[in-house]
């Protein structure tokens, strides 16, 4: 497991959860760099694995003159643009590719950096210059030291995702109504862009928005709210705060109307949830939603609402990370926060009301290990994160340090899908004729490098948890059930199956693909029934990279995985008996997907449920005041919204509800309500 830990650590570092790629000292230059003047094209791998980021870099004899980044790729446009707007000017200013990556756009930033390096190497080669001269453009810019600025405001919102945006804008509206010349609202975010995870999701939960259904449904209710409430409370078994569920059900429609009719957001008419039991029409998808590649349009919604916000007199600061609450213990009052800018500038920001809207703590492996438990499911540990890695829970932890209480903090994280914890990008990409990616709109490509990923989510596989036992039907490992294993699981394959993949390819029908893989920033699935002679070479590469294992016997494989050999061999024997009988009494997998584990050597590929966000957090009352650990006493001046307090809606016994868009609905609703409450408190109303 040491090997797996190192792998996960590397993954977190690559995607920005632990530091940035600009740490470490570059080599000293070995002489003056000399380019052949001109424009050179470079390529670098970003978030989307289907194609690299392309840049055109113009140089003169000894400097970088210009950088143009091609937007025609599979990157999320708003994220890539944030990296372009902030990182490219800094590369030019400092003449260094080792400026910091942009928080919230780490993978796209890394792709730009690699592409620029690639282009510069071509310029050096064209001039006949020693390649080591690239070190002159790999210096690390110095940070500001010893500079602290003090800021005073009325309402301070920490985090500018959906909940923070709603809170800041609503607070500004309330203050503007009271005195247009005295709007004192400041929002900050450590990322280089606003919108957070909410700008990357697709739908919002809402109950019967009055104006929306007047326009789209002749004024009739879309859903029986009383029935919905009964269903919700039955699901959560009394572990929720009923009054907070009522706040969501009673106000989410109003929040959606506010977004649509006051700030230009556009939503489709509501749809039902994900399962047959989810009969309620409550999930409203962002328009346009004919394809998944609509994040540029969602970005425009956020551009508009922030234009509205600044027009009201609100202010914001990006790339400004809050890391500690300023707390007066004598009066039990939060006075503000300490924060740090990307350039090293320290800030002490004092406010009459501080609203935490930081998006939970999924990006913090230590907190995931500390606060998630194994009481109901094996949740403890660092999870592979698909959502915003800047959501590291630093301010939640700071609140707990001053005595704040938590509520259902160990609710299972939101998990949509699963894959491998790392990827193989060195293998050839092959276009799928006539197909385009659902989320990118780009020509669909697949690669033999995705063999391990396809093995992990293949319905005819055998998957075991960290205890060596099956935990779900393998048909549901692409979607719905991978979370049941906790942070990772293992897909077990025999040599017989590997030889079949070599000769016949993957033959079982995919479940949840291809949309699932591309949703993860990945490529198109390998076409079914396509022979894959590279399978052993690819698996060796996965073993070398640390997310696959190979052994001659199941006992040896179990020891590599730190699983009890007796448990794994018993699981395989039992599963093979199901295959012989054509019936799976444990999880009901259809006979067509029951394929025996044959003779060795044996392989295990690491599967990683992709965590979108945490679902538990701080305890709050009906005014969104953060409560102390006694569950009764508010901490004066401190509020929490969105996933920083979403545990009040749920139970730790079960996963996130499946109605659709609840985290997004809670983000906008809690932010909208709390912004108004905090502003009125500051105004003395």
């Amino acid at each position: 497991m040491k090997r797996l830990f190192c792998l996960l650590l590397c993954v977190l570092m690559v995607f920005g959860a632990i530091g940035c790629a600009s740490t470490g000292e570059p080599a000293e230059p070995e002489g003056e760099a000399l380019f052949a003047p001109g424009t050179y094209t470079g390529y670098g791998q970003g978030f989307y694995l289907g194609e690299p980021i392309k840049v055109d870099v113009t140089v003169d004899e000894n400097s970088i003159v210009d950088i143009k980044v091609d937007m025609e790729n599979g990157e999320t446009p708003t994220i890539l643009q944030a990296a372009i707007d902030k990182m490219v000017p800094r590369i030019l200013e400092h003449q260094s590719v080792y400026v910091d990556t942009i928080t919230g756009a780490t993978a796209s930033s890394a792709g730009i950096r690699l592409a620029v390096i690639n282009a510069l190497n071509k310029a050096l080669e064209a001039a006949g210059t020693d390649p080591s001269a690239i070190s002159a453009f790999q210096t690390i810019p110095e940070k500001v030291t010893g500079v602290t600025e003090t800021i005073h405001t009325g309402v301070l919102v920490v985090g500018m995702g959906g909940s923070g945006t709603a809170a800041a804008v609503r607070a500004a509206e309330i203050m503007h109504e009271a005195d247009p010349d005295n709007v004192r609202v400041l929002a900050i975010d450590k990322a280089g862009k606003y919108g957070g995870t909410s700008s990357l999701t697709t739908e919002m939960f809402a109950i019967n928005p009055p104006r929306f259904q007047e326009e789209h449904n002749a004024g009739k209710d879309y859903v029986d709210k009383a029935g919905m409430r009964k269903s919700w409370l039955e699901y959560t078994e009394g572990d929720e705060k009923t009054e907070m569920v009522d706040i969501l059900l009673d106000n989410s429609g109003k929040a959606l109307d506010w977004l649509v009719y006051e700030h230009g957001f556009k939503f489709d008419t509501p749809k039902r949830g994900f399962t047959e039991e989810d009969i309620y029409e409550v999930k409203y998808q962002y328009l346009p939603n004919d394809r998944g590649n609509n994040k540029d349009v969602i970005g425009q919604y956020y551009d508009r609402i922030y234009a509205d916000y600044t027009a009201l007199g609100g202010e914001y600061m990006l790339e400004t990370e809050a890391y500690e609450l300023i707390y007066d213990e004598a009066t039990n009052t939060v006075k503000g926060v300490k924060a740090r800018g990307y350039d090293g500038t320290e800030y002490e920001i004092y406010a009459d009301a501080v609203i935490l809207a930081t998006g939970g703590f999924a990006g913090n492996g230590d907190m995931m290990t500390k606060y998630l438990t194994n009481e109901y499911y094996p949740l403890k540990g660092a999870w592979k994160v698909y959502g915003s890695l800047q959501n590291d829970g630093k301010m939640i932890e700071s609140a707990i340090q001053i005595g704040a209480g938590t509520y259902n903090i160990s609710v299972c994280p939101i998990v949509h899908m699963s894959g491998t914890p790392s990827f193989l990008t060195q293998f050839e990409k092959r276009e799928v004729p006539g197909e385009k990616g659902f989320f990118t709109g780009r020509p669909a490509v697949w690669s033999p490098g995705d063999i391990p990923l396809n093995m992990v989510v293949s319905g005819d596989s055998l998957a075991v948890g960290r205890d060596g036992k099956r935990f779900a039907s393998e048909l549901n490992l692409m979607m719905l059930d991978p979370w049941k294993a906790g942070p990772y699981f293992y897909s077990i394959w025999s040599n017989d199956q590997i030889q079949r993949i070599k000769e016949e390819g993957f033959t079982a029908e995919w479940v949840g693909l291809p949309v699932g893989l591309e949703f993860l920033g990945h490529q198109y699935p390998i076409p079914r029934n396509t022979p894959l002679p590279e399978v052993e070479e690819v698996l060796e590469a996965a073993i070398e990279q640390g997310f696959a294992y190979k052994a001659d016997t199941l006992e040896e494989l179990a020891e590599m995985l730190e699983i009890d050999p007796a448990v794994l061999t018993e699981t395989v024997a039992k599963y093979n008996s199901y295959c012989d009988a054509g019936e799976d009494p444990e999880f009901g997998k259809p006979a067509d997907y029951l394929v025996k584990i044959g003779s060795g050597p044996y392989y295990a590929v690491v599967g990683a449920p992709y965590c979108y966000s945490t679902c538990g957090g701080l305890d709050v009352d009906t005014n969104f005041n953060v409560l102390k650990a006694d569950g009764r006493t508010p901490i004066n001046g401190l509020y929490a919204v969105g996933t920083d307090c979403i545990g009040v809606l749920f139970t730790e016994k079960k996963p996130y509800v499946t109605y659709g868009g609840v985290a997004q609905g809670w983000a906008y609703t809690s932010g909208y309500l709390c912004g108004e409450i905090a502003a009125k408190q500051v105004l003395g109303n």
Side-chain angles (χ1 to χ4, degrees):
M1 295 310 298
K2 289 181 179 177
R3 187 178 197 181
L4 180 59
F5 174 79
C6 293
L7 165 65
L8 294 173
L9 183 63
C10 290
V11 170
L12 289 170
M13 292 181 70
V14 168
F15 285 91
I18 304 177
C20 63
S22 60
T23 57
E25 293 295 331
E28 290 295 325
E30 297 182 5
E32 182 180 358
L34 182 64
F35 299 126
T39 299
Y40 298 85
T41 299
Y43 298 89
Q45 188 66 62
F47 177 74
Y48 176 56
L49 301 185
E51 59 185 300
I53 295 172
K54 173 186 173 184
V55 303
D56 290 323
V57 180
T58 301
V59 298
D60 60 19
E61 287 189 347
N62 54 23
S63 65
I64 308 170
V65 176
D66 192 27
I67 299 171
K68 300 291 186 188
V69 180
D70 190 346
M71 293 293 290
E72 291 296 316
N73 51 56
E75 301 296 294
T76 301
T78 52
I79 292 178
L80 180 60
Q81 192 63 55
I84 293 170
D85 291 344
K86 291 178 169 59
M87 188 176 181
V88 168
R90 293 170 192 167
I91 292 175
L92 295 173
E93 176 189 354
H94 295 285
Q95 291 293 295
S96 173
V97 295
Y98 275 2
V99 299
D100 284 352
T101 55
I102 306 305
T103 302
T106 311
S108 294
S109 300
I112 291 173
R113 172 184 288 155
L114 292 170
V116 173
I117 291 172
N118 180 238
L120 293 181
N121 281 328
K122 292 177 181 178
L124 292 170
E125 182 180 2
T129 303
D130 190 301
S132 65
I134 190 71
S135 63
F137 299 90
Q138 294 176 326
T139 58
I140 300 177
E142 293 184 3
K143 298 286 188 181
V144 173
T145 58
V147 176
T148 300
E149 295 185 15
T150 301
I151 298 172
H152 293 272
T153 190
V155 177
L156 172 64
V157 180
V158 182
M160 297 170 62
S163 61
T165 295
V169 175
R170 188 59 185 149
E173 289 175 343
I174 296 299
M175 285 195 164
H176 189 271
E177 290 172 6
D179 183 353
D181 298 322
N182 192 30
V183 174
R184 297 184 301 122
V185 183
L186 173 64
I188 65 174
D189 199 297
K190 66 188 292 186
K193 59 179 285 294
Y194 43 64
T197 305
S198 289
S199 66
L200 305 176
T201 54
T202 58
E203 59 201 25
M204 171 187 176
F205 173 98
I207 298 292
N208 300 333
R211 294 177 65 181
F212 188 93
Q213 63 186 21
E214 185 68 37
E215 178 181 352
H216 297 281
N217 202 40
K220 295 183 294 184
D221 284 349
Y222 284 114
V223 63
D224 172 13
K225 184 171 69 172
M228 175 95 199
R229 181 181 188 274
K230 181 175 182 293
S231 172
W232 189 302
L233 298 183
E234 287 175 352
Y235 182 84
T236 51
E237 301 183 23
D239 293 340
E240 80 300 327
K241 282 193 165 184
T242 305
E243 66 272 22
M244 303 307 289
V245 174
D246 286 338
I247 283 175
L248 174 64
L249 300 184
D250 292 343
N251 293 279
S252 53
K254 184 191 303 183
L256 185 139
D257 275 349
W258 176 73
L259 290 169
V260 171
Y261 297 103
E262 302 298 327
H263 298 291
F265 280 55
K266 296 185 184 302
F267 294 95
D268 200 356
T269 52
K271 296 177 174 58
R272 289 173 51 173
F274 297 107
T275 71
E276 290 299 320
E277 293 77 24
D278 296 321
I279 62 173
Y280 303 101
E281 295 182 344
V282 292
K283 59 175 186 175
Y284 295 72
Q285 294 182 308
Y286 286 124
L287 286 172
N289 65 0
D290 55 329
R291 298 191 65 82
N293 55 327
N294 63 344
K295 301 304 180 284
D296 54 338
V297 177
I298 299 171
Q300 292 169 20
Y301 299 161
Y302 274 87
D303 288 341
R304 172 167 175 171
I305 199 169
Y306 272 99
D308 294 344
Y309 171 66
T310 54
L312 290 166
E315 298 179 311
Y316 65 86
M317 298 165 57
L318 296 172
E319 297 186 281
T320 305
E321 178 184 13
Y323 60 86
E324 184 181 341
L325 291 167
I326 300 172
Y327 176 63
D328 182 356
E329 186 175 2
T331 60
N332 184 35
T333 302
V334 166
K335 301 285 189 177
V337 305
K338 294 180 181 179
R340 184 177 297 116
Y342 79 92
D343 63 352
T345 301
E346 294 285 337
Y347 296 96
E348 290 185 355
I349 307 175
Y350 293 91
D352 300 311
V354 175
I355 300 175
L356 300 184
T358 62
F361 57 95
N364 188 323
D366 289 340
M367 287 184 68
M368 297 285 275
T369 301
K370 180 179 180 180
Y371 291 114
L372 299 186
T373 74
N374 295 333
E375 183 175 1
Y376 301 107
Y377 294 95
L379 305 179
K380 187 177 287 292
W383 290 60
K384 170 76 177 179
V385 179
Y386 174 74
S388 296
L389 282 160
Q390 69 263 25
N391 298 344
D392 62 8
K394 198 176 270 97
M395 298 308 292
I396 296 175
E397 188 68 73
S398 183
I400 294 171
Q401 299 274 330
I402 66 169
T406 63
Y407 200 93
N408 284 336
I409 198 168
S410 187
V411 177
C412 175
I414 301 173
V415 172
H416 292 310
M417 300 171 186
S418 70
T420 48
S422 189
F423 308 108
L424 303 173
T425 60
Q426 66 267 43
F427 292 91
E428 176 191 6
K429 294 177 176 60
R430 305 172 187 177
E431 189 167 333
V432 182
E435 293 288 342
K436 288 190 176 181
F438 182 83
F439 285 96
T440 66
R442 306 289 296 162
V445 297
W446 68 276
S447 168
D450 284 342
I451 289 172
L453 186 148
N454 284 258
M455 290 169 67
V456 161
V457 300
S458 181
D460 59 355
S461 64
L462 165 63
V464 300
R466 292 176 286 176
D467 59 359
K469 300 177 182 179
R470 290 177 76 207
F471 55 91
S473 167
E474 290 79 6
L475 278 175
N476 296 331
L477 294 187
M478 181 73 246
M479 304 177 68
L480 298 181
D481 286 346
W483 63 271
K484 293 181 178 179
Y488 57 90
F489 59 89
Y490 301 107
S491 184
I492 309 298
W493 294 72
S494 64
N495 185 58
D496 301 8
Q497 294 168 295
I498 298 305
Q499 296 309 311
R500 189 194 71 203
I501 291 173
K502 177 188 288 188
E503 297 169 5
E504 303 176 23
F506 292 96
T507 57
E509 183 177 354
W510 294 116
V511 178
L513 297 174
V515 175
L517 291 183
E518 200 188 351
F519 179 78
L520 304 178
H522 222 267
Q523 302 162 130
Y524 212 73
I526 297 171
R528 289 170 58 208
N529 304 311
T530 301
L532 296 164
E534 314 93 335
V535 59
E536 289 162 326
E537 177 190 357
V538 170
L539 285 172
E540 286 300 322
I543 291 168
E544 184 176 342
Q545 196 159 315
F547 65 93
Y549 301 83
K550 179 182 179 181
D552 290 332
T553 68
L554 286 171
E555 290 81 1
E556 291 172 346
L557 187 67
E559 289 176 359
M560 288 182 176
L561 306 179
E562 296 188 356
I563 291 174
D564 183 340
V567 173
L568 181 61
T569 54
E570 181 183 354
T571 297
V572 171
K574 186 183 296 184
Y575 182 76
N576 280 345
S577 72
Y578 299 161
C579 297
D580 289 336
E583 183 179 1
D584 174 13
E586 282 189 279
F587 299 106
K589 188 164 72 168
D592 289 348
Y593 290 90
L594 292 170
V595 178
K596 289 183 70 171
I597 303 297
S599 59
Y602 298 95
Y603 295 84
V605 182
V606 180
Y610 277 46
C611 166
Y612 208 64
S613 173
T614 46
C615 274
L618 298 171
D619 192 7
V620 295
D621 61 18
T622 54
N623 287 323
F624 300 96
N625 271 121
V626 174
L627 300 175
K628 293 183 75 74
D630 63 13
R632 299 184 303 274
T633 308
I635 298 176
N636 299 320
L638 184 62
Y639 303 82
V641 294
T643 46
D644 285 0
C645 68
I646 197 171
V648 296
L649 303 178
F650 301 131
T651 174
E652 293 180 339
K653 300 185 185 79
K654 297 176 183 177
Y656 175 78
V657 292
T658 56
Y659 304 118
V662 170
Q664 187 88 310
W666 181 246
Y668 288 131
T669 305
S670 61
Y672 171 80
L673 295 172
C674 184
E676 180 169 332
I677 290 167
K680 288 181 176 179
Q681 181 269 322
V682 170
L683 293 171
N685 295 342

Short mmCIF file of all heavy atoms in Angstrom, two decimals, residues 488-514:
data_model
loop_
_atom_site.label_atom_id
_atom_site.label_comp_id
_atom_site.label_asym_id
_atom_site.label_seq_id
_atom_site.Cartn_x
_atom_site.Cartn_y
_atom_site.Cartn_z
N TYR A 488 -10.92 3.83 -2.71
CA TYR A 488 -10.46 3.07 -3.87
C TYR A 488 -10.89 1.62 -3.75
O TYR A 488 -11.27 1.14 -2.67
CB TYR A 488 -8.94 3.18 -4.06
CG TYR A 488 -8.13 2.72 -2.87
CD1 TYR A 488 -7.72 1.39 -2.75
CD2 TYR A 488 -7.75 3.62 -1.88
CE1 TYR A 488 -6.98 0.97 -1.66
CE2 TYR A 488 -7.01 3.20 -0.79
CZ TYR A 488 -6.62 1.88 -0.69
OH TYR A 488 -5.89 1.46 0.39
N PHE A 489 -10.83 0.90 -4.88
CA PHE A 489 -11.13 -0.52 -4.90
C PHE A 489 -10.21 -1.19 -5.91
O PHE A 489 -9.35 -0.52 -6.50
CB PHE A 489 -12.61 -0.77 -5.24
CG PHE A 489 -13.07 -0.21 -6.56
CD1 PHE A 489 -12.99 -0.97 -7.73
CD2 PHE A 489 -13.60 1.07 -6.65
CE1 PHE A 489 -13.42 -0.46 -8.95
CE2 PHE A 489 -14.03 1.59 -7.87
CZ PHE A 489 -13.93 0.82 -9.02
N TYR A 490 -10.37 -2.49 -6.09
CA TYR A 490 -9.51 -3.23 -7.02
C TYR A 490 -10.36 -4.03 -8.01
O TYR A 490 -11.31 -4.71 -7.61
CB TYR A 490 -8.59 -4.18 -6.27
CG TYR A 490 -7.68 -3.50 -5.29
CD1 TYR A 490 -7.91 -3.61 -3.92
CD2 TYR A 490 -6.59 -2.75 -5.71
CE1 TYR A 490 -7.09 -2.99 -3.00
CE2 TYR A 490 -5.76 -2.12 -4.81
CZ TYR A 490 -6.01 -2.24 -3.45
OH TYR A 490 -5.19 -1.62 -2.55
N SER A 491 -9.99 -3.95 -9.26
CA SER A 491 -10.61 -4.77 -10.30
C SER A 491 -9.68 -5.95 -10.57
O SER A 491 -8.51 -5.76 -10.93
CB SER A 491 -10.82 -3.95 -11.57
OG SER A 491 -11.51 -4.68 -12.55
N ILE A 492 -10.17 -7.17 -10.37
CA ILE A 492 -9.35 -8.38 -10.43
C ILE A 492 -9.57 -9.09 -11.77
O ILE A 492 -10.71 -9.35 -12.16
CB ILE A 492 -9.70 -9.35 -9.28
CG1 ILE A 492 -9.68 -8.61 -7.93
CG2 ILE A 492 -8.77 -10.55 -9.28
CD1 ILE A 492 -8.34 -8.05 -7.54
N TRP A 493 -8.46 -9.41 -12.44
CA TRP A 493 -8.52 -10.07 -13.74
C TRP A 493 -7.51 -11.21 -13.79
O TRP A 493 -6.43 -11.12 -13.21
CB TRP A 493 -8.21 -9.07 -14.87
CG TRP A 493 -9.24 -7.99 -15.01
CD1 TRP A 493 -9.44 -6.94 -14.15
CD2 TRP A 493 -10.21 -7.87 -16.03
NE1 TRP A 493 -10.49 -6.16 -14.59
CE2 TRP A 493 -10.97 -6.70 -15.75
CE3 TRP A 493 -10.51 -8.60 -17.17
CZ2 TRP A 493 -12.01 -6.27 -16.57
CZ3 TRP A 493 -11.55 -8.18 -17.99
CH2 TRP A 493 -12.29 -7.03 -17.69
N SER A 494 -7.88 -12.27 -14.53
CA SER A 494 -6.98 -13.40 -14.73
C SER A 494 -6.32 -13.32 -16.10
O SER A 494 -6.76 -12.56 -16.97
CB SER A 494 -7.75 -14.72 -14.61
OG SER A 494 -8.72 -14.80 -15.65
N ASN A 495 -5.29 -14.11 -16.28
CA ASN A 495 -4.60 -14.12 -17.57
C ASN A 495 -5.53 -14.55 -18.70
O ASN A 495 -5.43 -14.06 -19.82
CB ASN A 495 -3.39 -15.05 -17.50
CG ASN A 495 -2.57 -15.01 -18.78
OD1 ASN A 495 -2.09 -13.96 -19.18
ND2 ASN A 495 -2.43 -16.16 -19.43
N ASP A 496 -6.46 -15.48 -18.42
CA ASP A 496 -7.42 -15.91 -19.44
C ASP A 496 -8.19 -14.70 -19.98
O ASP A 496 -8.39 -14.57 -21.21
CB ASP A 496 -8.44 -16.89 -18.85
CG ASP A 496 -7.78 -18.14 -18.27
OD1 ASP A 496 -6.55 -18.17 -18.19
OD2 ASP A 496 -8.52 -19.07 -17.91
N GLN A 497 -8.63 -13.84 -19.07
CA GLN A 497 -9.39 -12.66 -19.49
C GLN A 497 -8.51 -11.67 -20.26
O GLN A 497 -8.97 -11.05 -21.22
CB GLN A 497 -9.99 -11.98 -18.25
CG GLN A 497 -11.04 -12.81 -17.54
CD GLN A 497 -11.39 -12.22 -16.19
OE1 GLN A 497 -10.55 -12.17 -15.29
NE2 GLN A 497 -12.63 -11.77 -16.04
N ILE A 498 -7.27 -11.54 -19.84
CA ILE A 498 -6.36 -10.61 -20.53
C ILE A 498 -6.11 -11.10 -21.96
O ILE A 498 -6.07 -10.30 -22.91
CB ILE A 498 -5.03 -10.49 -19.76
CG1 ILE A 498 -5.28 -9.91 -18.36
CG2 ILE A 498 -4.04 -9.63 -20.53
CD1 ILE A 498 -6.01 -8.59 -18.34
N GLN A 499 -5.95 -12.40 -22.12
CA GLN A 499 -5.74 -12.94 -23.47
C GLN A 499 -6.98 -12.73 -24.33
O GLN A 499 -6.88 -12.50 -25.54
CB GLN A 499 -5.37 -14.43 -23.39
CG GLN A 499 -4.05 -14.70 -22.67
CD GLN A 499 -2.91 -13.85 -23.21
OE1 GLN A 499 -2.69 -13.77 -24.42
NE2 GLN A 499 -2.18 -13.20 -22.30
N ARG A 500 -8.16 -12.81 -23.70
CA ARG A 500 -9.39 -12.55 -24.45
C ARG A 500 -9.43 -11.09 -24.91
O ARG A 500 -9.84 -10.79 -26.05
CB ARG A 500 -10.61 -12.86 -23.59
CG ARG A 500 -11.94 -12.81 -24.37
CD ARG A 500 -13.12 -12.79 -23.42
NE ARG A 500 -13.21 -11.50 -22.74
CZ ARG A 500 -13.83 -11.31 -21.58
NH1 ARG A 500 -14.39 -12.31 -20.95
NH2 ARG A 500 -13.87 -10.11 -21.04
N ILE A 501 -9.02 -10.16 -24.04
CA ILE A 501 -8.97 -8.75 -24.43
C ILE A 501 -7.99 -8.56 -25.58
O ILE A 501 -8.25 -7.80 -26.52
CB ILE A 501 -8.57 -7.88 -23.22
CG1 ILE A 501 -9.68 -7.88 -22.17
CG2 ILE A 501 -8.25 -6.45 -23.65
CD1 ILE A 501 -9.31 -7.20 -20.87
N LYS A 502 -6.87 -9.26 -25.52
CA LYS A 502 -5.86 -9.15 -26.60
C LYS A 502 -6.45 -9.59 -27.93
O LYS A 502 -6.24 -8.94 -28.96
CB LYS A 502 -4.64 -9.99 -26.25
CG LYS A 502 -3.57 -9.98 -27.35
CD LYS A 502 -2.46 -10.97 -27.07
CE LYS A 502 -1.58 -10.50 -25.94
NZ LYS A 502 -0.37 -11.36 -25.79
N GLU A 503 -7.20 -10.67 -27.92
CA GLU A 503 -7.69 -11.26 -29.17
C GLU A 503 -9.04 -10.70 -29.61
O GLU A 503 -9.29 -10.57 -30.81
CB GLU A 503 -7.80 -12.78 -28.99
CG GLU A 503 -6.45 -13.44 -28.74
CD GLU A 503 -6.58 -14.88 -28.30
OE1 GLU A 503 -7.73 -15.39 -28.30
OE2 GLU A 503 -5.56 -15.49 -27.95
N GLU A 504 -9.90 -10.36 -28.64
CA GLU A 504 -11.26 -9.95 -28.99
C GLU A 504 -11.63 -8.54 -28.54
O GLU A 504 -12.63 -7.99 -28.98
CB GLU A 504 -12.27 -10.93 -28.36
CG GLU A 504 -12.07 -12.38 -28.75
CD GLU A 504 -13.03 -13.29 -28.01
OE1 GLU A 504 -14.09 -12.80 -27.56
OE2 GLU A 504 -12.73 -14.49 -27.87
N GLY A 505 -10.84 -7.99 -27.63
CA GLY A 505 -11.18 -6.69 -27.07
C GLY A 505 -12.19 -6.83 -25.95
O GLY A 505 -12.44 -7.92 -25.42
N PHE A 506 -12.80 -5.72 -25.57
CA PHE A 506 -13.86 -5.74 -24.55
C PHE A 506 -15.16 -6.08 -25.26
O PHE A 506 -15.57 -5.39 -26.20
CB PHE A 506 -13.96 -4.38 -23.86
CG PHE A 506 -12.77 -4.07 -23.00
CD1 PHE A 506 -11.72 -3.30 -23.49
CD2 PHE A 506 -12.69 -4.54 -21.70
CE1 PHE A 506 -10.62 -3.01 -22.70
CE2 PHE A 506 -11.59 -4.25 -20.90
CZ PHE A 506 -10.55 -3.49 -21.40
N THR A 507 -15.82 -7.13 -24.81
CA THR A 507 -16.99 -7.62 -25.54
C THR A 507 -18.31 -7.27 -24.86
O THR A 507 -19.35 -7.26 -25.51
CB THR A 507 -16.91 -9.15 -25.69
OG1 THR A 507 -16.78 -9.75 -24.38
CG2 THR A 507 -15.69 -9.55 -26.53
N ALA A 508 -18.29 -7.01 -23.57
CA ALA A 508 -19.52 -6.70 -22.85
C ALA A 508 -19.99 -5.29 -23.18
O ALA A 508 -19.19 -4.38 -23.42
CB ALA A 508 -19.32 -6.84 -21.35
N GLU A 509 -21.29 -5.11 -23.17
CA GLU A 509 -21.85 -3.79 -23.43
C GLU A 509 -21.50 -2.85 -22.28
O GLU A 509 -21.60 -3.20 -21.11
CB GLU A 509 -23.37 -3.88 -23.57
CG GLU A 509 -24.03 -2.56 -23.92
CD GLU A 509 -25.53 -2.70 -24.12
OE1 GLU A 509 -26.01 -3.85 -24.09
OE2 GLU A 509 -26.21 -1.67 -24.29
N TRP A 510 -21.07 -1.63 -22.64
CA TRP A 510 -20.71 -0.66 -21.61
C TRP A 510 -21.95 -0.13 -20.90
O TRP A 510 -22.99 0.08 -21.51
CB TRP A 510 -19.97 0.53 -22.24
CG TRP A 510 -18.63 0.20 -22.82
CD1 TRP A 510 -18.27 0.29 -24.13
CD2 TRP A 510 -17.48 -0.27 -22.13
NE1 TRP A 510 -16.98 -0.10 -24.30
CE2 TRP A 510 -16.47 -0.45 -23.08
CE3 TRP A 510 -17.21 -0.57 -20.79
CZ2 TRP A 510 -15.19 -0.89 -22.74
CZ3 TRP A 510 -15.95 -1.02 -20.46
CH2 TRP A 510 -14.96 -1.17 -21.41
N VAL A 511 -21.81 0.11 -19.63
CA VAL A 511 -22.88 0.73 -18.84
C VAL A 511 -22.36 2.07 -18.34
O VAL A 511 -21.36 2.15 -17.64
CB VAL A 511 -23.28 -0.16 -17.64
CG1 VAL A 511 -24.35 0.53 -16.82
CG2 VAL A 511 -23.76 -1.52 -18.14
N GLY A 512 -23.05 3.17 -18.72
CA GLY A 512 -22.63 4.49 -18.28
C GLY A 512 -21.59 5.14 -19.16
O GLY A 512 -21.11 6.23 -18.87
N LEU A 513 -21.21 4.49 -20.25
CA LEU A 513 -20.23 5.04 -21.17
C LEU A 513 -20.93 5.36 -22.49
O LEU A 513 -21.94 4.74 -22.82
CB LEU A 513 -19.11 4.02 -21.42
CG LEU A 513 -18.28 3.65 -20.19
CD1 LEU A 513 -17.32 2.52 -20.55
CD2 LEU A 513 -17.51 4.83 -19.68
N PRO A 514 -20.42 6.30 -23.31
CA PRO A 514 -19.14 6.98 -23.18
C PRO A 514 -19.18 8.26 -22.37
O PRO A 514 -18.15 8.84 -22.07
CB PRO A 514 -18.79 7.31 -24.63
CG PRO A 514 -20.12 7.56 -25.26
CD PRO A 514 -21.07 6.60 -24.61
#
